[in-house]
Amino acid sequence: MKKALSLVFLFTLINSFAQISFQGIVKDSLNTPLELANVIAINKTTNLLESYGITNTDGTYKLELKKNQTYKVQVSYVGMKTLEEVLITKESKIIKNFTLQLDNALDEVEVTYEMPVTIKGDTLIYNADSFKSGTERKLEDVLEKLPGVEINEEGQIEVEGKVVNKLMVNGKDFFDGDTKLATKNIPSKAIDKIQVLRNYAEVGQLSSVRNNQDNVALNIKLKKGKENFWFGNVTVGAGTAPVEELYLVQPKLFYYTPKYSINFIGDINNIGEVALNRRDIRGFGGGFRAPSRSSGTTINLGDNSLNFLTTQANALKIENKLATANFSYSPKKSLDLSGFLIYNSSQILSKEISFVQYTNKDLGIPDEATEQNSTERSNQGLLKLSASYKPNVNNQLDYDVIGRVSNDRQNQNIFSTVVGSTNQIDEVTPYSINQNINYYYTLNETNIFAFEAQHLIKNEDPFYNAVLENDPNASDPFDTTANALGLDTSVSSYNFAQDRRIKSNQLDAKLDYYNIINAKSNLNLTLGTILSKQEFNSTVFQFLNDGTKFNPTPTINQGKLGNDIEYNFSDVYLGVHYRFKKGKFTVTPGFSLHAYGNKNMQFGKVYEDNFFRILPDFETRIQFKKSEALTLRYEMRNQFTDVTRLAEGLMLNSYNSIQFGAPELQNALSHNISLFYSSFNLFNYTNVFARAAYSSNIDQVRSITDFENVIRTSTFFNSNFADENVNVFGRVQRTFGKIRASLSTSFNYSKINQFIEGVQSLNERYTQSYTPSIRTNYLKAPNISLRYRYSVSTNNQGNRKTTFLTNAPSIEFDAYIWKAVSFRTEYSYTNQDLGNGESQSFQNWDATLSYRKNRDAKWEYEIKATNLLNIDSQVRSSANYFSVFSSEAFIQPRFITFRFVYTL
């Protein structure tokens, strides 16, 4: 790794010495500097675009050119005549100013080359071909090369530090709500332009009265000729593995016309290539956003779906089937219809060995080693339909409905050095239907109304079953817990189960009125409500040796084992916000007045709480330049918990985790402050952004935990101790010709008060990481990307302190050879120092070799190898608030597959 870094540094140094600086100022005929003028230099020998630049606020440009060469220089600006000159470089830098004249001609000026990056208002436009070297196959391969654009560890697109939540193709929604399907499937050769829509407003009528600076959307413009017929590709592959044969079928088909579009993405494989994993689909919101998101109220409906233990990165075997379809149709100019369907089926086999060491030795909790084998099956389906009707500029009506259903099952065989052998099964078949209706009406130029409403129905039915070893004639570690649960202890094994059903019904609606006082200020009044109802039922029973059911009566928690509870919540609020601009400042102070009511009924009792609360909020934005701003926000939030934490009866989270709720739980209050800075300088292609956030939680809902061996029983209460969290993240990115360097850094501090065995202790966690990286973007030469991540995590857990140091270098290399062969390889190494003189490490190496006759060839032949070093497992360590955890997860062996790709 050190040698590779040295070679790249040397190459960069040599490259810089072979160049000279060409700079100056671009002005108009009145001697006024022109900001965002384009300057490009075309090498007359190769006829290739060699360098380009965009002027800053002073009209200054700067290009790096080769010595002793002849260039054709083009200078252009919107509304001005394009200027062309021949430039001959020698050994020293060149300073030259340009004056552009107004263009009154109707004829278009022929421009030999397009600028790689241009700006039109709030839209940043990348010319995709300017960043392609020939090895790209998918949209994400192009995005990773664009200055200011990143693909984060979650697979999300980030532009100038902001996550892109909406992606369109030719202006039409592409699976609204997620961008991974687009980045991993849209073929790179079909992409012409990538438009970054900053300050994006879904509703044009509200663009001038709402703060949209955090909203970023992408629009992918297709190349000419990609409309009115199918395009895409179909991949078929096979291979061998130590245990079974490998297969892969991936059709990716797209059809676009000005009136409608159809997209289909399929994937069937057993090699672990997953376009959308289970977590992605569970979090796939379809673009839905709660109307009350800025009201100051947060109510948690809970998530009782199956919490799978395994991820794609740490599985022994993965079989996946994915079928998705997306459409859009505009029968007339005022009506847009769209929707998508997603079906995903996966089966995963995993094995993990772990060791848990509890930090508070005074409590006598024994350390535990476990070996776990798991089989997981998941079938998930989503369907979304949308309609948008815009009869004129003053009216817009939107309707969306999304339904989701799943059938998930997880079987685990666990051996514990404390409890012994356990078999457990988790099953759930939840469904939900979410509807959204919005209407926007502009009465006149000073009065706008907006109505937004969302209705959610959710039904969850988790089932849990555990079977533990038991010797009726001897003392077993689980006996104490079994007696507390009221189980029959005379059986040869403890076989107990739990049925649960949680029904949620929520309406979230608001009416906004905007009064535009003048061009720089407006008043916003909001009347809104949240109405929520949850029903929760649970039963725990035991299977005896003869197969009959036994209903136990616990000796703890006053004999309350099952649950039958209804929880009703209401919030009616009035919000007032005033937004005004003064110079570089945009200030939005405001508050909301809430009337809360919540009531739960269980075990013949009614618990009710009604109160009023004022929640202030404030935002100030300083716009230093068009692409440089600082935003400060403050908000007070009221947080309400879900029904399962209010339920008094015992509930099994697993065989070693039992909880019961507290019906008199109150809301938690939090203060939240954030600061965000972003700057994108097109003059020197420097992208800087930083984000800092602080939160303090008052009356936070916390758990009180008691241990019996390693089996914990928890209940909840409102803590008098404030919990705090600080997050700071920043990234600096700079492009030097064909080389881009960046440095990312993050810091997190959290302070949590925990309560174990009635003892309060303060737990603090400090995490800091630094990630420098450098990558090249040559069109003809091979490209390399180097990345190094260094992180330190320190945990102060009561009377114990643990520190983990992680060093993780990685390298990516891709080359386009003979205009026919693409070679790509990735290698990563991770070492974790445990702070006690011991360390653990793992590495991964993948490679792909592909051949196609030329860039326009229909057929491509590919060999892909994963886990080339045939590593058996990955080892990691971490710490939570009461234990230190280390695990060894076994992974898929070396896979080599042969693939045929046909391009339509």
Side-chain angles (χ1 to χ4, degrees):
M1 179 58 66
K2 290 182 178 179
K3 290 182 179 179
L5 284 169
S6 300
L7 287 172
V8 171
F9 177 75
L10 181 62
F11 182 78
T12 305
L13 195 62
I14 293 172
N15 191 57
S16 63
F17 281 134
Q19 293 182 325
I20 64 161
S21 174
F22 170 49
Q23 61 189 70
I25 299 174
V26 179
K27 300 180 180 180
D28 62 13
S29 58
L30 299 178
N31 212 32
T32 302
L34 296 176
E35 183 183 4
L36 303 180
N38 299 325
V39 183
I40 63 176
I42 302 164
N43 192 308
K44 296 203 72 173
T45 302
T46 63
N47 202 34
L48 295 175
L49 175 65
E50 189 158 297
S51 186
Y52 63 93
I54 296 176
T55 58
N56 63 11
T57 53
D58 301 323
T60 303
Y61 70 91
K62 184 177 181 181
L63 279 67
E64 298 295 329
L65 303 177
K66 293 179 181 178
K67 297 178 181 179
N68 303 313
Q69 297 287 326
T70 301
Y71 293 95
K72 180 170 68 174
V73 176
Q74 291 183 344
V75 185
S76 60
Y77 188 81
V78 177
M80 300 284 185
K81 292 182 180 179
T82 298
L83 189 152
E84 288 190 6
E85 285 193 10
V86 175
L87 178 74
I88 300 175
T89 63
K90 297 190 181 299
E91 297 292 326
S92 58
K93 72 176 182 179
I94 300 173
I95 298 177
K96 186 173 181 60
N97 299 329
F98 295 97
T99 301
L100 301 184
Q101 304 295 325
L102 285 173
D103 187 9
N104 297 319
L106 297 177
D107 297 334
E108 293 186 1
V109 177
E110 180 182 353
V111 180
T112 307
Y113 278 88
E114 291 188 77
M115 280 291 293
V117 186
T118 56
I119 287 184
K120 293 183 179 179
D122 286 332
T123 302
L124 185 65
I125 305 170
Y126 295 95
N127 180 38
D129 285 344
S130 300
F131 299 91
K132 296 177 185 177
S133 65
T135 62
E136 303 83 10
R137 294 297 181 270
K138 298 172 290 187
L139 172 60
E140 68 176 351
D141 298 329
V142 181
L143 292 175
E144 289 175 338
K145 297 182 177 183
L146 306 182
V149 180
E150 294 282 338
I151 305 292
N152 64 25
E153 293 182 357
E154 301 296 325
Q156 300 169 312
I157 306 171
E158 287 187 5
V159 176
E160 301 169 28
K162 301 167 186 174
V163 174
V164 174
N165 294 314
K166 187 180 186 66
L167 188 144
M168 298 170 285
V169 177
N170 278 7
K172 301 179 186 297
D173 288 350
F174 189 90
F175 290 94
D176 193 17
D178 187 272
T179 58
K180 287 180 69 174
L181 273 173
T183 59
K184 293 186 176 298
N185 293 284
I186 294 178
S188 60
K189 66 185 299 182
I191 302 168
D192 181 30
K193 301 287 192 303
I194 299 173
Q195 298 176 333
V196 177
L197 311 176
R198 298 182 288 191
N199 301 319
Y200 180 75
E202 291 270 4
V203 182
Q205 295 161 268
L206 304 181
S207 59
S208 62
V209 294
R210 284 184 176 177
N211 295 328
N212 301 302
Q213 59 269 15
D214 287 339
N215 298 338
V216 180
L218 283 189
N219 182 41
I220 309 301
K221 296 288 289 183
L222 300 175
K223 286 182 176 294
K224 292 182 179 179
K226 294 299 180 183
E227 293 185 342
N228 299 313
F229 69 91
W230 287 95
F231 69 94
N233 56 62
V234 178
T235 302
V236 178
T240 59
V243 179
E244 61 183 340
E245 300 299 317
L246 304 176
Y247 58 85
L248 172 77
V249 180
Q250 294 177 334
K252 302 171 184 179
L253 308 174
F254 310 90
Y255 187 89
Y256 278 86
T257 72
K259 196 170 185 178
Y260 65 90
S261 68
I262 302 173
N263 306 298
F264 175 79
I265 299 170
D267 189 356
I268 302 174
N269 73 79
N270 65 343
I271 60 177
E273 289 192 7
V274 180
L276 285 179
N277 59 39
R278 294 171 307 201
R279 186 176 64 175
D280 293 333
I281 296 177
R282 281 174 57 181
F284 207 100
F288 277 60
R289 294 188 299 170
S292 62
R293 59 190 177 275
S294 58
S295 70
T297 298
T298 301
I299 177 170
N300 181 17
L301 296 183
D303 183 4
N304 298 279
S305 55
L306 194 55
N307 238 346
F308 287 110
L309 302 177
T310 309
T311 63
Q312 179 190 353
N314 57 6
L316 274 173
K317 179 180 177 181
I318 302 175
E319 295 183 9
N320 194 75
K321 298 176 183 177
L322 175 71
T324 67
N326 171 235
F327 81 93
S328 65
Y329 175 53
S330 302
K332 54 183 179 179
K333 190 175 181 179
S334 60
L335 180 62
D336 291 314
L337 306 174
S338 62
F340 63 74
L341 173 68
I342 298 176
Y343 170 75
N344 186 74
S345 176
S346 65
Q347 294 189 50
I348 294 180
L349 178 66
S350 67
K351 178 181 178 181
E352 184 176 289
I353 297 174
S354 60
F355 180 72
V356 179
Q357 192 174 24
Y358 291 90
T359 55
N360 196 330
K361 295 299 182 183
D362 297 335
L363 300 177
I365 308 171
D367 297 336
E368 181 184 25
T370 61
E371 179 177 332
Q372 173 182 287
N373 292 276
S374 177
T375 302
E376 303 167 9
R377 173 188 51 77
S378 176
N379 297 296
Q380 299 168 290
L382 282 81
L383 173 64
K384 181 190 177 186
L385 299 173
S386 300
S388 181
Y389 179 57
K390 303 176 186 177
N392 50 58
V393 295
N394 295 326
N395 290 270
Q396 178 174 332
L397 177 64
D398 298 332
Y399 175 76
D400 308 275
V401 59
I402 184 170
R404 64 178 71 229
V405 62
S406 67
N407 186 343
D408 303 330
R409 180 184 175 94
Q410 180 171 258
N411 292 39
Q412 298 177 69
N413 298 316
I414 305 170
F415 175 78
S416 163
T417 55
V418 177
V419 180
S421 296
T422 303
N423 295 325
Q424 61 179 15
I425 298 173
D426 290 277
E427 289 182 318
V428 63
T429 56
Y431 69 84
S432 66
I433 300 174
N434 202 350
Q435 298 180 83
N436 186 77
I437 186 167
N438 303 325
Y439 177 61
Y440 307 97
Y441 173 60
T442 301
L443 178 64
N444 50 47
E445 61 184 17
T446 59
N447 296 282
I448 302 174
F449 295 88
F451 175 73
E452 300 177 359
Q454 190 173 128
H455 181 240
L456 171 66
I457 296 176
K458 186 165 65 169
N459 186 87
E460 300 162 302
D461 60 345
F463 170 78
Y464 174 74
N465 177 225
V467 181
L468 288 82
E469 295 178 338
N470 179 48
D471 185 351
N473 301 314
S475 177
D476 292 323
F478 194 74
D479 283 347
T480 303
T481 302
N483 283 317
L485 291 174
L487 301 181
D488 186 339
T489 59
S490 65
V491 294
S492 57
S493 63
Y494 293 117
N495 186 345
F496 55 93
Q498 174 182 249
D499 266 323
R500 287 188 288 160
R501 183 173 293 275
I502 305 95
K503 296 181 179 179
S504 303
N505 192 326
Q506 185 183 85
L507 173 66
D508 187 343
K510 70 170 182 175
L511 176 64
D512 278 304
Y513 166 67
Y514 297 93
N515 177 248
I516 301 175
I517 300 172
N518 52 50
K520 293 188 176 181
S521 63
N522 63 73
L523 178 68
N524 171 217
L525 301 178
T526 304
L527 178 63
T529 185
I530 304 174
L531 302 174
S532 174
K533 178 181 179 181
Q534 285 190 288
E535 298 176 0
F536 174 43
N537 296 277
S538 70
T539 58
V540 177
F541 49 90
Q542 181 182 8
F543 294 103
L544 301 180
N545 291 341
D546 59 1
T548 59
K549 284 186 180 180
F550 171 69
N551 295 317
T553 301
T555 60
I556 59 173
N557 195 37
Q558 302 174 356
K560 298 175 181 177
L561 186 58
N563 285 285
D564 185 2
I565 172 176
E566 181 179 307
Y567 172 44
N568 293 283
F569 169 86
S570 66
D571 173 23
V572 178
Y573 60 91
L574 174 66
V576 180
H577 291 84
Y578 177 63
R579 181 173 178 262
F580 66 93
K581 296 181 180 180
K582 183 71 174 178
K584 298 179 179 180
F585 293 83
T586 301
V587 184
T588 312
F591 68 90
S592 53
L593 174 62
H594 296 257
Y596 292 110
N598 58 82
K599 178 173 66 173
N600 70 83
M601 298 163 283
Q602 53 183 315
F603 292 101
K605 294 184 179 180
V606 176
Y607 302 88
E608 192 169 1
D609 185 26
N610 302 294
F611 63 97
F612 292 90
R613 176 155 288 165
I614 296 178
L615 301 178
D617 60 272
F618 177 82
E619 178 179 299
T620 297
R621 179 177 172 87
I622 309 174
Q623 192 75 45
F624 300 106
K625 300 175 183 177
K626 286 185 177 180
S627 296
E628 184 182 14
L630 178 68
T631 303
L632 170 68
R633 289 193 186 94
Y634 165 79
E635 65 174 347
M636 183 185 293
R637 297 199 69 85
N638 223 14
Q639 303 164 348
F640 296 84
T641 190
D642 70 302
V643 67
T644 61
R645 293 193 172 189
L646 300 171
E648 286 188 277
L650 289 175
M651 186 171 67
L652 305 176
N653 295 321
S654 67
Y655 74 93
N656 60 358
S657 177
I658 303 168
Q659 78 171 52
F660 58 94
E664 296 180 339
L665 274 182
Q666 302 297 312
N667 59 286
L669 194 65
S670 67
H671 299 279
N672 305 274
I673 303 173
S674 66
L675 190 65
F676 181 78
Y677 171 81
S678 65
S679 172
F680 186 47
N681 190 331
L682 283 172
F683 171 68
N684 55 18
Y685 287 93
T686 300
N687 177 34
V688 181
F689 77 86
R691 180 186 293 109
Y694 168 79
S695 64
S696 176
N697 297 297
I698 304 169
D699 294 331
Q700 182 77 4
V701 175
R702 282 287 164 218
S703 63
I704 302 176
T705 303
D706 293 326
F707 278 86
E708 177 63 39
N709 287 319
V710 295
I711 300 166
R712 58 184 181 269
T713 303
S714 304
T715 189
F716 304 96
F717 76 110
N718 287 99
S719 170
N720 293 323
F721 298 89
D723 296 333
E724 297 177 282
N725 191 275
V726 178
N727 283 286
V728 180
F729 181 80
R731 180 162 59 225
V732 180
Q733 186 185 94
R734 176 73 185 270
T735 300
F736 305 87
K738 299 297 183 181
I739 297 172
R740 188 176 78 188
S742 67
L743 173 65
S744 300
T745 182
S746 66
F747 172 78
N748 173 265
Y749 166 75
S750 61
K751 182 180 75 174
I752 301 294
N753 291 273
Q754 73 173 28
F755 302 84
I756 300 178
E757 302 288 349
V759 178
Q760 180 268 342
S761 62
L762 180 65
N763 291 269
E764 297 177 296
R765 176 180 296 177
Y766 305 84
T767 303
Q768 53 184 315
S769 69
Y770 307 90
T771 309
S773 65
I774 186 170
R775 70 178 303 153
T776 63
N777 188 24
Y778 295 101
L779 298 181
K780 299 293 183 181
N783 285 293
I784 190 171
S785 175
L786 297 172
R787 187 172 182 264
Y788 179 78
R789 180 172 60 88
Y790 174 78
S791 66
V792 182
S793 179
T794 302
N795 302 273
N796 292 325
Q797 307 145 306
N799 56 4
R800 184 182 179 122
K801 180 178 179 180
T802 59
T803 301
F804 301 118
L805 281 87
T806 302
N807 294 273
S810 63
I811 182 170
E812 297 180 17
F813 175 85
D814 66 83
Y816 190 48
I817 309 167
W818 307 311
K819 297 183 178 181
V821 177
S822 296
F823 175 68
R824 289 163 289 171
T825 186
E826 303 173 8
Y827 172 80
S828 63
Y829 173 81
T830 302
N831 178 270
Q832 191 173 51
D833 188 329
L834 305 182
N836 56 3
E838 298 181 3
S839 65
Q840 53 197 21
S841 62
F842 58 89
Q843 52 191 326
N844 191 55
W845 183 20
D846 300 335
T848 303
L849 182 68
S850 58
Y851 168 80
R852 59 182 177 185
K853 188 175 181 179
N854 52 59
R855 296 193 185 195
D856 298 322
K858 294 289 186 181
W859 286 96
E860 182 173 6
Y861 311 94
E862 184 177 271
I863 302 175
K864 185 169 184 178
T866 57
N867 192 9
L868 272 167
L869 301 175
N870 206 25
I871 303 300
D872 294 329
S873 60
Q874 295 183 350
V875 182
R876 295 183 186 274
S877 295
S878 60
N880 59 27
Y881 299 114
F882 52 80
S883 65
V884 178
F885 179 83
S886 63
S887 67
E888 180 183 12
F890 292 84
I891 62 174
Q892 295 180 125
R894 180 192 298 121
F895 283 170
I896 299 177
T897 55
F898 301 86
R899 309 180 185 202
F900 302 89
V901 183
Y902 178 75
T903 301
L904 278 70

